[in-house]
Amino acid sequence: MCGIVGYLGEKQVVPVILDGLKRLEYRGYDSAGIAVVNNGHMEIRRTSGKLRNLEEAVHLNPIEGTYGIGHTRWATHGRPTEENAHPHRDCTGNIVVVHNGIIENYLPIKNALIKEGHRFATETDTEVIAHLIEKYSNGSLESAVLKMVKEIKGLFAIAIISAKDPDKIVAVRSGPPAIVGLGNDEFFVASDVPAVLNHTRDVVFLGDGDIAVVTRHGVSFMDFSGTPVTHAIQHITWDPIMAEKGGFKHFMLKEIYEQPRAVRDTFLGRFSMETGKIFLDPMDITEEDFRSVSQIRIIACGTSWHAALAGKFMIERLARLPVEVDYGSEFRYRNPIITAHTLTIVITQSGETADTIAAQREARQRGSKCLAICNVVGSMIARESDGTIYTHAGPEIGVASTKAFSAQLTALYLFAIYLAQLRRQLTEDQSKELVQELTQIPSKLETLLQHNETIEELSRHFFRCTDFLFLGRGIHYPIALEGALKLKEISYIHAEGYPAGEMKHGPNALIDENLPVVILAPSDPRDPQSRTLREKTVSNIKEVKARDGIVIALGNAGDTEIAEAVDYFLEVPETNALLSCILEVVPLQLLAYHVAIRRGCDVDQPRNLAKSVTVE
């Protein structure tokens, strides 16, 4: 979730970069930095904390120059300190790098570079980029970058400058967004369009696997093999709202597509790849407090309540603690049983949901420690909690929550592992495996999003339906509820989510040839419980088909048994049973979106609903 800005032109670079960073500040929370080359010397200013701290540092210790790069950071590897703030340098101090993303293989690279004599000054994965470029430097910055990108693995957007190859910025993209802005005798590099709109509306969007070489004479582009590529210049005519949409027709669709980033930004910096150990943000709940917990209450509303239900499965499975889930609107009206050994978790995107705030206050009055999972820094829920796990999904504008939900599930998964580690319910190898699975989720989400056109086509068959049924077992049941909610809130189609095992207790009576039934059937072949649930779900599919129902099933790629038994089959990449919920919700969000569009509904502002429910 980091923000990158670069400038090369005739103006003083510092005000331009600071202005751009302000417009991207939502992308980074904990530190900021700037690097400028002037008369062959590299000068860097870095601070921890908000961007205003960097502005103050530059005011007290000014730097001048006409090209440089800047960065706002959310910690990935390494704590949020000034030392770990970007830009990062090589051994000579002549090469600096800013980076958004994660270098998955940084540890073996770092160890190899140390053996070669390189000296590392930070805990970050980014620093290996600077040292690799130093290793391959032969006078041409882009030549060294070409060799560097062949060694690193992961998703990344990078900007690099070198005092030894002056008047040049090299930008690289593999995953996270990166653009080049073209002005009058000046050029810009940024993570997103708003950073440059004050200066130019002509931009080039880098594609995955692209390198841009920016000089005072212009910009050239190549792929990772060094082959020149061409890009059309896009003239941005968006008003500020359209600029925020990033070219998508609706905020909801943009936010669905932002889920790989939202998940990644929620987990980055919160675990060690070497040990699997989870790190939470500083809070007024100690490790001993967590160890003394005997029961957990999770409180939420709407989509966040569905995340809470999934969180119950995660925490009980990994940490072996009993969990109850409550609606915020109901909790304080039933005289809940709370003890000093109860941990209350409140989940809210906005941090301002009235019912959830009231429930949190009730729990605290009864002596419970309260942990918040929240997307908005400084919100009421966060201020009144004993600790907060921020999701860092970025601003969510669409009323129907999408990326905030995925980020909440990610935060709950991390917390479940953290609590299990404190309670010694996991070995180090088990922890590392759980963490490794999580790091693969963003790329698997990207794969799912490539099926958007398939789901759009699927929507043609169902947009005139009046009812839907969504079924799931185990942790898939909360996702069935969420799929039904998404469809009903933006398309106005009546939809129900139900535990698949309860079909014989009434819902079977609803099934006929006109009823679409969405059945969630992904499984983890390594997990005996997951295999059992899949087998029982196959039986539910047969029940529906025996009554002439229309079955849309989500299952693992290659699951031919289910694919051949249903009318429509949507593939979901395989992962562990607890993480499958993050993947399978994406096709349901896209289905709801495309059905609503075909029905002519306002997907961003559905009738009778608001983004944040701030009154009871």
Side-chain angles (χ1 to χ4, degrees):
M1 199 169 178
C2 306
I4 292 171
V5 180
Y7 173 77
L8 191 157
E10 299 301 323
K11 299 173 184 173
Q12 280 296 311
V13 66
V14 172
V16 176
I17 289 182
L18 290 178
D19 177 72
L21 292 177
K22 284 181 183 178
R23 299 176 190 282
L24 298 179
E25 190 171 12
Y26 72 91
R27 299 179 64 90
Y29 296 88
D30 59 43
S31 59
I34 187 171
V36 175
V37 177
N38 189 29
N39 294 325
H41 297 288
M42 184 76 71
E43 294 210 49
I44 297 176
R45 303 288 183 270
R46 303 185 302 182
T47 60
S48 60
K50 297 289 187 178
L51 183 59
R52 61 176 174 267
N53 295 345
L54 178 63
E55 293 177 297
E56 180 66 17
V58 171
H59 175 73
L60 293 174
N61 192 6
I63 49 178
E64 294 186 346
T66 56
Y67 81 101
I69 53 179
H71 188 269
T72 58
R73 179 183 188 239
W74 174 249
T76 55
H77 293 78
R79 302 300 174 90
T81 62
E82 180 179 339
E83 178 187 68
N84 288 328
H86 297 217
H88 289 297
R89 291 166 278 202
D90 69 327
C91 294
T92 69
N94 290 315
I95 298 167
V96 300
V97 174
V98 292
H99 165 221
N100 177 24
I102 181 171
I103 308 303
E104 295 171 356
N105 60 336
Y106 85 99
L107 275 175
I109 293 174
K110 182 176 181 177
N111 292 334
L113 287 168
I114 289 172
K115 289 180 181 178
E116 294 173 11
H118 289 262
R119 303 178 307 279
F120 283 78
T122 76
E123 304 167 338
T124 71
D125 59 335
T126 303
E127 194 179 2
V128 302
I129 300 171
H131 287 277
L132 278 174
I133 295 171
E134 176 193 4
K135 173 181 176 179
Y136 293 122
S137 183
N138 61 358
S140 168
L141 181 57
E142 60 266 35
S143 296
V145 169
L146 277 169
K147 293 177 181 176
M148 176 272 295
V149 295
K150 289 180 173 62
E151 292 206 22
I152 61 175
K153 297 178 182 178
L155 295 171
F156 45 83
I158 307 168
I160 313 113
I161 58 176
S162 170
K164 297 303 182 183
D165 191 2
D167 296 321
K168 182 183 291 180
I169 303 174
V170 177
V172 181
R173 179 187 177 184
S174 179
I179 66 165
V180 174
L182 312 174
N184 294 321
D185 297 320
E186 58 183 4
F187 304 93
F188 306 81
V189 171
S191 302
D192 207 351
V193 170
V196 305
L197 281 184
N198 270 5
H199 307 279
T200 181
R201 290 181 178 267
D202 292 328
V203 304
V204 172
F205 293 87
L206 270 64
D208 273 347
D210 277 355
I211 297 174
V213 181
V214 181
T215 71
R216 296 193 182 275
H217 305 293
V219 185
S220 61
F221 303 92
M222 68 182 86
D223 61 23
F224 282 8
S225 66
T227 303
V229 296
T230 58
H231 286 293
I233 297 172
Q234 306 289 328
H235 183 71
I236 306 301
T237 58
W238 307 329
D239 57 25
I241 294 297
M242 185 61 75
E244 291 176 18
K245 288 182 182 176
F248 286 92
K249 188 176 181 180
H250 298 97
F251 280 113
M252 182 181 178
L253 187 60
K254 173 179 181 281
E255 288 157 4
I256 289 172
Y257 271 80
E258 287 178 333
Q259 285 176 112
R261 178 195 58 74
V263 169
R264 187 182 303 114
D265 289 343
T266 298
F267 70 64
L268 288 179
R270 286 179 163 153
F271 57 78
S272 164
M273 291 289 289
E274 298 175 65
T275 64
K277 183 174 174 59
I278 304 298
F279 305 102
L280 298 186
D281 300 339
M283 58 181 68
D284 293 328
I285 308 176
T286 66
E287 290 187 358
E288 189 53 44
D289 289 332
F290 282 123
R291 288 192 188 96
S292 71
V293 169
S294 60
Q295 65 168 336
I296 293 176
R297 296 290 175 85
I298 311 181
I299 302 169
C301 300
T303 286
S304 296
W305 187 76
H306 299 154
L309 286 177
K312 171 184 171 73
F313 284 92
M314 296 174 182
I315 294 169
E316 290 189 343
R317 177 76 177 268
L318 297 179
R320 306 305 298 156
L321 270 173
V323 179
E324 289 189 32
V325 178
D326 278 275
Y327 281 112
S329 56
E330 296 289 331
F331 178 75
R332 71 188 192 279
Y333 296 118
R334 66 176 184 84
N335 195 20
I337 300 172
I338 300 289
T339 73
H341 297 293
T342 300
L343 173 67
T344 301
I345 302 174
V346 291
I347 308 176
T348 164
Q349 187 282 137
S350 68
E352 303 292 345
T353 307
D355 288 322
T356 308
I357 292 172
Q360 179 188 43
R361 290 170 178 168
E362 178 79 14
R364 295 196 76 192
Q365 287 172 4
R366 291 171 181 258
S368 174
K369 290 280 189 179
C370 285
L371 175 69
I373 295 176
C374 180
N375 193 41
V376 180
V377 176
S379 61
M380 182 67 74
I381 285 279
R383 293 198 302 271
E384 295 192 7
S385 294
D386 298 294
T388 302
I389 302 175
Y390 285 113
T391 51
H392 304 297
E396 188 176 65
I397 308 301
V399 167
S401 181
T402 52
K403 63 177 181 175
F405 179 68
S406 299
Q408 288 166 354
L409 294 173
T410 304
L412 285 161
Y413 182 81
L414 288 170
F415 179 71
I417 299 172
Y418 174 81
L419 203 55
Q421 289 171 346
L422 288 184
R423 292 171 55 79
R424 299 187 179 181
Q425 296 294 316
L426 292 173
T427 66
E428 183 174 302
D429 286 344
Q430 288 171 326
S431 294
K432 287 193 290 188
E433 183 177 352
L434 288 166
V435 165
Q436 181 62 36
E437 293 263 17
L438 179 58
T439 64
Q440 296 170 11
I441 293 298
S443 62
K444 292 179 179 180
L445 286 169
E446 295 279 7
T447 299
L448 277 170
L449 289 167
Q450 293 172 11
H451 298 159
N452 181 41
E453 290 184 4
T454 300
I455 297 172
E456 182 179 11
E457 177 64 21
L458 182 64
S459 71
R460 287 195 313 111
H461 302 284
F462 299 108
F463 74 98
R464 291 189 179 91
C465 293
T466 58
D467 301 277
F468 263 78
L469 191 60
F470 291 75
L471 303 178
R473 287 177 177 267
I475 200 168
H476 308 295
Y477 163 55
I479 309 307
L481 291 172
E482 176 62 12
L485 176 61
K486 282 293 149 289
L487 188 66
K488 73 178 75 169
E489 67 182 334
I490 65 169
S491 74
Y492 317 142
I493 293 175
H494 172 253
E496 294 283 347
Y498 228 81
E502 291 294 300
M503 289 296 291
K504 293 184 179 69
H505 297 275
N508 272 349
L510 297 172
I511 298 174
D512 61 19
E513 68 277 6
N514 297 313
L515 181 69
V517 182
V518 180
I519 298 181
L520 308 182
S523 64
D524 181 357
R526 302 162 296 181
D527 185 334
Q529 185 181 66
S530 182
R531 292 199 303 270
T532 299
L533 289 178
R534 179 197 168 278
E535 291 169 5
K536 293 185 177 296
T537 303
V538 170
S539 297
N540 293 124
I541 291 171
K542 293 177 180 177
E543 286 179 6
V544 175
K545 290 305 298 176
R547 291 160 177 80
D548 297 323
I550 307 165
V551 177
I552 306 165
L554 276 64
N556 293 350
D559 192 335
T560 55
E561 180 185 8
I562 290 179
E564 292 172 0
V566 302
D567 299 281
Y568 303 94
F569 183 70
L570 299 174
E571 293 185 350
V572 176
E574 190 176 295
T575 186
N576 73 40
L578 299 180
L579 286 173
S580 60
C581 55
I582 300 177
L583 298 178
E584 65 192 357
V585 75
V586 172
L588 306 186
Q589 294 167 345
L590 288 170
L591 179 63
Y593 172 82
H594 288 300
V595 166
I597 292 298
R598 287 188 179 277
R599 291 169 63 88
C601 301
D602 186 342
V603 296
D604 283 338
Q605 295 181 318
R607 66 191 183 200
N608 305 328
L609 299 177
K611 182 62 184 171
S612 299
V613 182
T614 56
V615 294
E616 186 176 358

